[in-house]
């Protein structure tokens, strides 16, 4: 099971930017998919962005055009560039890697999370 460590969270004003990083213990190139999720207080965890081993990317409608997911296989690191942040983006952000090697199963290994707080 891959071990994930997120960093890069913090407090910013509305309209600001942050870049989250997730360092994995293993080769992320072997993961069929990886993703960023977030969970705000009192709300369910939601998927923000996903990247497949093929390079295909998907985003939640709420972040399209503002967030960019990317990965650096050489550094075993997943990124989430977040621009034009809004107060509703405030949440704990989690990095996730699929547990299986062959296909994207939506069975995830999780990082510990990094807090993002956006003030108006």
């Amino acid at each position: 099971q891959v071990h994930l460590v997120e960093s890069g969270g913090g407090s910013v004003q509305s309209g600001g930017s942050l870049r989250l990083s997730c360092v994995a213990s293993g080769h992320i190139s072997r993961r069929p998919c990886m993703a960023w999720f977030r969970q705000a207080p009192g709300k369910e965890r939601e998927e923000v962005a996903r990247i497949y081993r093929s390079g295909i990317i998907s985003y939640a409608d709420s972040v399209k055009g503002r967030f960019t997911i990317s990965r650096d296989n050489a550094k075993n690191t997943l990124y989430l560039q977040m621009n034009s942040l809004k107060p509703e983006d405030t949440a704990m952000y989690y990095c996730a890697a699929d547990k299986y090697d062959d296909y994207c199963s939506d069975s995830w290994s999780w990082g510990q999370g990094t807090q993002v707080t956006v003030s108006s």
Side-chain angles (χ1 to χ4, degrees), residues 22-106:
C22 170
V23 179
S25 60
H27 296 288
I28 63 170
S29 59
R30 296 177 181 172
R31 300 295 98 223
C33 58
M34 296 189 70
W36 287 97
F37 287 76
R38 67 186 180 187
Q39 187 168 20
K43 296 188 177 181
E44 293 188 355
R45 189 172 296 190
E46 64 172 348
E47 182 175 326
V48 173
R50 179 184 298 214
I51 183 166
Y52 290 86
R53 184 164 50 202
S54 63
I56 292 174
I57 289 172
S58 64
Y59 295 100
D61 288 343
S62 59
V63 306
K64 280 181 181 176
R66 300 188 299 122
F67 289 12
T68 302
I69 188 171
S70 63
R71 66 184 181 208
D72 185 331
N73 290 341
K75 296 181 178 180
N76 291 319
T77 302
L78 183 73
Y79 300 101
L80 185 68
Q81 178 66 44
M82 305 185 295
N83 298 329
S84 302
L85 282 161
K86 304 175 181 180
E88 51 263 44
D89 294 318
T90 295
M92 184 73 77
Y93 283 71
Y94 297 90
C95 173
D98 200 278
K99 291 182 178 180
Y100 297 98
D101 294 341
D102 296 331
Y103 62 96
C104 190
S105 67
D106 282 14

